[in-house]
Amino acid sequence: MSYNPEVWTISSNEALKVSIADDQGYVSFPPLFTYPIFGDSEQIFGYKDLKIDLVFDSITFLPFLKVSYKEKLNDEVDDITAKLLEFLPKSTIVDDEVKWVDAFKKEQEELIDYNKEFELINTYNVKNEEFSIFKTSFQTSEGEKTKAVDLMKRLQIFVLLFIEAGSYIDTSDELWDLFILVSNKTKKILGFSTAYSYFKYNGAIEFDSNPNVKKRNKISQFVVLPPYQKTQHGSSLYSSIISYWNGNELVEEITVEDPNEKFDDLRYRNDFKRLFEEGFINQLPKNLKTIDNKWFITNANKFKIELNQFKKLVEIGYLYTENIKLARLLIKKRLYEKNRDGLVELELAIRNDKLQTAYESIKQEYDRLIDSIRVRAVNDIGSSKKQKV
């Protein structure tokens, strides 16, 4: 037997195939990350022709796991099935596909009635199909566990596989909420988001005297499953959550936890669209003197947008309305204030050169976002009742 490491080593990203199955068949896709399960190198040693099939029913998300291989080096190498089961719910069915099918079909007959057990926060249409977004908590007001806990245990592995540095949340913490995106026609789950509510502490007197404590709400994990991406669902899920929180007077600020570049784009597009449709972008001040920090804070609070995010949206707004001069001045001012300690020590010419270089890089990124905003506005079906971006 050959002990050449290359012969016995395979990428865990290539070995693992994730699938979502329905009565028409299944759709498969590779994970983006497997290091939370198999280590930073994302490699598995000790097997030849290793195949890991992780399949979910599209409605109940009951998992099925099957690990197969042509040859195993010895009994001392990692047990792949055991390793994966550490991250999957106890309901996971291993190897026995018939048992899995029977189990999820039985569960489908006793399916969660989202309309009765969850809170409906929005309904929308894509290509003549209706979708709904529901909100639920992991505990009742009496502190009892809800059905959302078991559902989250099935969905949470997608956080590890598709969000860099993603981790499981503590469903025993009553401040967590779960948002679920569901097809009204098929009952399939298309995506989900977890969110956390912080108490916003503004001082002891205000905090102690107010029975309705203000909150700072944070989107923590946000997943639209790969088969349903690039079809408006991400924007619909995000904007529905934001609209829901905007309607709650106790929510003072909305933030996002460590967004990646792809989610940042979605966030910018939808936040900008909201500011535009409410008329804010076309009413931006024409004089830089009126745009002080107090102005930023007042308007950021009005729209419940985190301050730094709001400043960037204003910069994008000036570029969008082709007020390049004010955009350039605002961007350079923000950059200077952020990096003041390092910049003040430089000669004026070098300082200006660095600011200009940074400005050009940011403008290029903003221009890319603006192009995306314009393209999506053209294809924004159903927005005729509002002013288009």
Side-chain angles (χ1 to χ4, degrees):
M1 180 182 292
S2 170
Y3 287 92
N4 183 348
E6 294 182 1
V7 174
W8 296 96
T9 303
I10 186 172
S11 163
S12 51
N13 289 343
E14 295 177 6
L16 176 60
K17 180 174 68 175
V18 184
S19 303
I20 297 177
D22 58 24
D23 54 7
Q24 302 298 315
Y26 62 90
V27 58
S28 300
F29 42 89
L32 294 180
F33 312 102
T34 52
Y35 64 85
I37 301 171
F38 297 107
D40 292 343
S41 65
E42 295 188 320
Q43 292 187 329
I44 299 173
F45 175 74
Y47 296 86
K48 286 184 179 179
D49 297 331
L50 176 66
K51 295 181 180 179
I52 308 169
D53 287 296
L54 180 59
V55 191
F56 297 84
D57 169 47
S58 62
I59 297 175
T60 67
F61 270 74
L62 179 67
F64 169 72
L65 175 63
K66 184 176 180 62
V67 177
S68 60
Y69 49 87
K70 183 178 180 180
E71 193 174 352
K72 182 178 178 180
L73 181 60
N74 55 48
D75 291 336
E76 295 179 4
V77 299
D78 287 340
D79 182 331
I80 304 304
T81 299
K83 186 172 284 289
L84 274 161
L85 287 176
E86 293 177 13
F87 298 89
L88 291 165
K90 292 181 180 179
S91 57
T92 302
I93 294 177
V94 179
D95 293 335
D96 192 337
E97 186 173 352
V98 173
K99 180 180 178 182
W100 172 65
V101 172
D102 290 342
F104 76 66
K105 284 186 175 180
K106 183 178 179 180
E107 284 193 5
Q108 286 181 9
E109 295 175 358
E110 305 169 354
L111 188 64
I112 295 174
D113 188 337
Y114 292 105
N115 286 293
K116 289 183 178 180
E117 299 180 48
F118 289 16
E119 179 183 359
L120 176 65
I121 69 166
N122 192 27
T123 299
Y124 65 95
N125 286 273
V126 174
K127 296 181 179 179
N128 297 319
E129 184 176 352
E130 190 175 66
F131 302 88
S132 291
I133 297 168
F134 298 92
K135 172 193 170 290
T136 185
S137 300
F138 296 111
Q139 292 186 32
T140 65
S141 56
E142 290 77 27
E144 297 178 356
K145 185 180 76 171
T146 68
K147 291 183 178 181
V149 173
D150 291 331
L151 180 58
M152 188 65 206
K153 288 180 179 178
R154 296 180 177 186
L155 293 170
Q156 62 186 358
I157 195 167
F158 288 94
V159 173
L160 301 186
L161 299 178
F162 293 97
I163 299 178
E164 188 168 10
S167 60
Y168 289 174
I169 64 172
D170 178 9
T171 55
S172 66
D173 188 337
E174 63 182 8
L175 298 180
W176 281 105
D177 288 321
L178 175 66
F179 294 86
I180 296 289
L181 168 57
V182 180
S183 164
N184 289 358
K185 179 181 178 181
T186 65
K187 307 306 179 184
K188 294 179 182 179
I189 295 175
L190 283 69
F192 65 95
S193 178
T194 59
Y196 197 79
S197 294
Y198 294 91
F199 294 124
K200 189 169 183 182
Y201 185 77
N202 295 322
I205 296 177
E206 179 183 347
F207 189 87
D208 293 339
S209 63
N210 189 352
N212 298 317
V213 178
K214 300 294 185 179
K215 300 176 182 178
R216 176 185 288 111
N217 283 14
K218 175 188 70 178
I219 293 176
S220 179
Q221 302 159 331
F222 190 96
V223 177
V224 175
L225 299 169
Y228 315 115
Q229 294 176 4
K230 300 181 180 179
T231 50
Q232 304 179 33
H233 293 302
S235 289
S236 296
L237 178 56
Y238 176 80
S239 59
S240 297
I241 295 171
I242 299 303
S243 295
Y244 177 78
W245 284 340
N246 274 323
N248 186 340
E249 293 182 355
L250 297 182
V251 177
E252 282 198 342
E253 185 178 75
I254 299 169
T255 64
V256 176
E257 180 181 1
D258 298 329
N260 59 25
E261 182 178 343
K262 187 176 181 180
F263 187 82
D264 249 343
D265 282 2
L266 181 149
R267 181 189 184 193
Y268 278 121
R269 286 196 304 268
N270 286 279
D271 285 353
F272 183 87
K273 180 181 178 182
R274 178 161 65 96
L275 293 180
F276 189 95
E277 289 178 344
E278 296 195 23
F280 179 77
I281 297 299
N282 286 328
Q283 296 175 5
L284 287 171
K286 305 301 181 183
N287 191 323
L288 187 63
K289 293 180 180 179
T290 63
I291 311 175
D292 55 13
N293 203 49
K294 182 179 178 181
W295 180 89
F296 275 117
I297 292 172
T298 299
N299 285 284
N301 290 342
K302 175 183 176 182
F303 293 103
K304 302 185 181 182
I305 298 175
E306 185 270 329
L307 183 59
N308 194 51
Q309 168 79 354
F310 183 77
K311 288 182 177 180
K312 294 177 180 179
L313 289 167
V314 170
E315 293 165 4
I316 294 171
Y318 279 113
L319 289 175
Y320 184 90
T321 56
E322 299 183 354
N323 194 330
I324 309 300
K325 180 180 179 181
L326 274 182
R328 183 178 69 252
L329 292 173
L330 274 178
I331 292 171
K332 288 187 175 182
K333 180 181 179 182
R334 177 172 61 82
L335 290 171
Y336 179 79
E337 291 173 350
K338 181 180 179 181
N339 303 283
R340 183 192 303 270
D341 292 343
L343 289 172
V344 293
E345 297 179 358
L346 300 176
E347 295 181 6
L348 182 60
I350 297 175
R351 181 196 309 165
N352 290 340
D353 182 65
K354 286 187 175 294
L355 286 172
Q356 180 63 23
T357 300
Y359 160 73
E360 290 173 357
S361 176
I362 290 173
K363 183 178 182 298
Q364 185 177 19
E365 183 64 16
Y366 284 172
D367 286 341
R368 182 186 64 79
L369 282 168
I370 289 170
D371 288 342
S372 175
I373 289 167
R374 294 189 193 279
V375 168
R376 286 178 179 262
V378 171
N379 299 319
D380 188 11
I381 300 172
S383 64
S384 57
K385 292 182 180 181
K386 295 182 179 180
Q387 185 182 18
K388 284 191 175 183
V389 180

